[in-house]
Amino acid sequence: MTDGPPDVLLSRFAESPLRIGTRTSALARVQAEHVATLIGTHVPGIQAVIVPTQVSADLWPGDLAELGGKGAFSKEIDRALVSGQIDVAVHCMKDVPGDVPLAEGTSFGAYLPRDDVHDIVVTRDGTPLAEIPAGSLIGTSSVRRRAQLAMYRPDLRTERIRGNIDTRLAKLEENDSRYAALILARAGLKRLGILGRHHHEVLPVKFHPSDAGVVSMVPAVGAGVIGVQARQADTAVMRLLDELNDDATARHILAERTMLHLLRGHCNSPIAGYASTTADGALSLFGMVFNRDGSQFVRSHAWGGADDPAALGSRVAADLLHQGAGRLIAATRK
């Protein structure tokens, strides 16, 4: 073994393990354990321990805006990272806000390969979304999903349903449940190993609304991506994370999050964005901004070179703003 991050890390964490910070939910723990496994593969012999932190957003049943937005999912973990109580922090990138800076002195050193980005409709009996009766109640915590559902099925009612995945599923499965269905991320159920236990319908990712009435769902910015954050001054850990980083995913995230940052969206802004690499190696970025009920929206789709994802994100954001995205976002602040 050569002198470098493995030697440095093994020496540094010989007596006290590398501490991986995460939220307390079952999904968050699974994701953190996956990161621990990857680190152990790259540095055989290193010890790692999961340090769960109860975050305020997981305890709050109401509107996240009252807690300061999506940043409530990470502020306690950010404090632990900055203060040196943990060495790395694991996040779902779709939960990382685009309108506030990262904790001072930290950055994402690794984005793991992107998982499934599809949303799914979960029901008790397998009823297709198209056949759910008008007036039925659909549970989702996402303003993005609510807006897109309303584009196709304005006859359905939606209600915010907060809590961990298992908590939400339990509410659906109650004998006297008020909910006809939930809309959830397929990646979360797959990571927990419970996707096959529940009736579900996969919503296609389509960039242009269909006249055929098929409900499509453009993903959230950062959907399906696990990010690993560390202190920039911790050079050995940052070098290790660079070895875990998936370059294609990093490019996609940079394009999406540049768009999100320039739109100045907040946690109540229905914004969707999805970057991918085309067959010829170019970057594709699609973005949409909605009003609350999906009756108004703007969309933009552009392509660019793989060497400058931020420029692509800037171009899509500028086009959306030119079409009136700022007005739609401002209206959701009221």
Side-chain angles (χ1 to χ4, degrees), residues 146-187:
R146 286 156 58 187
Q148 292 189 75
L149 178 63
M151 292 172 60
Y152 302 94
R153 290 293 310 269
D155 57 325
L156 296 175
R157 297 179 296 128
T158 58
E159 181 179 273
R160 179 189 300 112
I161 181 170
R162 297 290 311 284
N164 299 328
I165 290 177
D166 52 354
T167 301
R168 283 180 266 176
L169 289 170
K171 291 179 180 178
L172 172 67
E173 293 163 359
E174 294 170 350
N175 290 332
D176 57 348
S177 177
R178 300 164 51 238
Y179 299 101
L182 305 179
I183 304 181
L184 300 168
R186 182 160 65 164

Side-chain angles (χ1 to χ4, degrees), residues 79-194:
R79 282 199 292 265
L81 181 61
V82 170
S83 66
Q85 298 174 54
I86 58 175
D87 302 297
V88 300
V90 178
H91 296 287
C92 287
M93 290 309 300
K94 69 180 180 62
D95 292 332
V96 179
D99 57 338
V100 294
L102 294 179
E104 186 175 357
T106 73
S107 64
F108 281 96
Y111 299 108
L112 304 189
R114 187 165 226 158
D115 207 333
D116 199 321
V117 300
H118 289 85
D119 289 305
I120 58 175
V121 179
V122 181
T123 58
R124 291 185 295 276
D125 57 6
T127 302
L129 180 59
E131 298 177 15
I132 293 177
S136 297
L137 184 64
I138 311 298
T140 175
S141 60
S142 164
V143 293
R144 172 191 59 87
R145 293 173 182 146
R146 286 156 58 187
Q148 292 189 75
L149 178 63
M151 292 172 60
Y152 302 94
R153 290 293 310 269
D155 57 325
L156 296 175
R157 297 179 296 128
T158 58
E159 181 179 273
R160 179 189 300 112
I161 181 170
R162 297 290 311 284
N164 299 328
I165 290 177
D166 52 354
T167 301
R168 283 180 266 176
L169 289 170
K171 291 179 180 178
L172 172 67
E173 293 163 359
E174 294 170 350
N175 290 332
D176 57 348
S177 177
R178 300 164 51 238
Y179 299 101
L182 305 179
I183 304 181
L184 300 168
R186 182 160 65 164
L189 274 71
K190 286 175 65 176
R191 289 170 183 164
L192 288 170
I194 61 174

